[in-house]
Amino acid sequence: MQEKNERFARLNLILKDKGLTKLQNATVMVVGLGGVGASCAQALARGGVGNLIVIDGDVVDITNINRQLIAFTSTIGRPKTEVMTEMIHDINPDCQVYPLQKFVRAQNIEPAFASFPKPDYVIDCIDHFYGKVAIIQWCMEHQVPLLSSMGAANKLDPSQLLFEYIENTSYCRMSKTIRLECKELAIKGVEVLYSKEKAVKIESHGSVKKADTLGSTSYMPPIMGMTLASKVIRRLAGLEDYDGIPKIIE
């Protein structure tokens, strides 16, 4: 009993009983458990969030080891949702985890998300452009606050990360694509975390494969994941006012 009471003792000093209770009663959905999403999910678990929905269709690959929290020699080949669920329960056995081993796409998002309790917040950490747009549309239709991670590839300086509405982003290829899609759909107010740093140029020798064109460091994706979690924790604990729901341009 004492261990349970002490698990979030340091957090309670900052948030007090009221803030911690809000987090323990909250449900957060993390879509994508790669370099950004896995670090985000574990930070939410350590941060006192009591209910976590974790979604990813992939398995751990050896190329993930340089940046992904769940990637070890011992986890190669295992579903990311399975490894993440075990990690969350090891951090906080009382956390209710809802895993889904699936890639989110426009054609499957409604039945997939409907199978879970309605989240208080969705954090999009996937790298599939049109999957991200589907998440934006779902959050708008269901009136759920959203934070979306933009590209961490070929970026080196975490001090240049910032939160912004998608219409105000720059120097980010992923942001540009999502910005154009949102404009086409007349959607505004999508809050994202992106880097204003100019991307490192990669000599791909004509290849368009991600393995040849998208470099990544050990720290950039995890810092983005932690930064996303920090924003959601503060908001759900009542320390920041927020809306965060995508809207139709009027």
Side-chain angles (χ1 to χ4, degrees):
M1 184 61 69
Q2 183 179 6
E3 180 186 353
K4 180 178 178 180
N5 292 339
E6 293 298 313
R7 192 178 303 275
F8 298 111
R10 297 295 184 92
L11 185 60
N12 188 266
L13 291 173
I14 301 171
L15 300 182
K16 311 301 180 187
D17 290 342
K18 184 178 180 181
L20 189 54
T21 298
K22 287 181 178 180
L23 288 171
Q24 290 172 335
N25 291 332
T27 299
V28 179
M29 176 187 287
V30 180
V31 190
L33 298 173
V36 176
S39 289
C40 180
Q42 69 88 26
L44 293 168
R46 294 186 192 277
V49 175
N51 304 276
L52 287 169
I53 302 166
V54 292
I55 302 174
D56 198 300
D58 209 355
V59 298
V60 179
D61 184 81
I62 192 170
T63 60
N64 302 151
I65 287 178
N66 82 307
R67 66 196 181 283
Q68 297 189 13
L69 185 78
I70 55 176
F72 300 90
T73 301
S74 61
T75 62
I76 291 173
R78 293 184 59 194
K80 292 183 178 180
T81 51
E82 181 181 283
V83 179
M84 192 78 251
T85 299
E86 289 178 3
M87 181 174 289
I88 292 169
H89 282 152
D90 207 13
I91 292 168
N92 179 16
D94 295 321
C95 183
Q96 178 67 54
V97 185
Y98 302 89
L100 177 63
Q101 183 73 14
K102 187 182 289 292
F103 291 112
V104 171
R105 301 292 185 262
Q107 59 268 29
N108 66 17
I109 189 169
E110 190 60 45
F113 284 18
S115 64
F116 300 114
K118 184 177 179 180
D120 298 294
Y121 230 114
V122 171
I123 307 178
D124 155 39
C125 302
I126 66 175
D127 59 5
H128 185 271
F129 292 135
Y130 300 109
K132 296 179 94 65
V133 174
I135 293 170
I136 290 168
Q137 291 178 297
W138 186 91
C139 287
M140 182 177 67
E141 292 167 5
H142 293 268
Q143 293 292 284
V144 176
L146 168 70
L147 275 180
S148 187
S149 171
M150 295 294 105
N154 303 336
K155 302 291 181 83
L156 295 169
D157 183 2
S159 71
Q160 297 197 55
L161 290 169
L162 70 159
F163 288 101
E164 188 56 89
Y165 290 117
I166 190 65
E167 52 264 31
N168 299 327
T169 55
S170 59
Y171 295 118
C172 174
R173 176 172 168 265
M174 181 177 286
S175 295
K176 180 179 180 180
T177 300
I178 301 302
R179 186 169 66 243
L180 293 174
E181 287 294 318
C182 285
K183 184 177 181 180
E184 182 73 19
L185 294 167
I187 295 174
K188 69 173 183 178
V190 178
E191 193 174 12
V192 304
L193 177 67
Y194 87 107
S195 171
K196 63 181 180 179
E197 177 186 7
K198 291 184 179 180
V200 173
K201 291 185 178 180
I202 304 296
E203 294 293 335
S204 62
H205 304 291
S207 173
V208 296
K209 295 180 180 178
K210 290 201 294 185
D212 298 326
T213 59
L214 300 179
S216 189
T217 64
S218 63
Y219 57 85
M220 194 71 174
I223 288 173
M224 290 186 76
M226 293 271 195
T227 303
L228 289 162
S230 76
K231 180 67 78 174
V232 170
I233 286 171
R234 291 188 309 242
R235 289 177 169 177
L236 292 178
L239 301 180
E240 289 186 10
D241 292 330
Y242 66 97
D243 180 354
I245 299 172
K247 302 169 183 67
I248 290 290
I249 297 172
E250 296 180 353

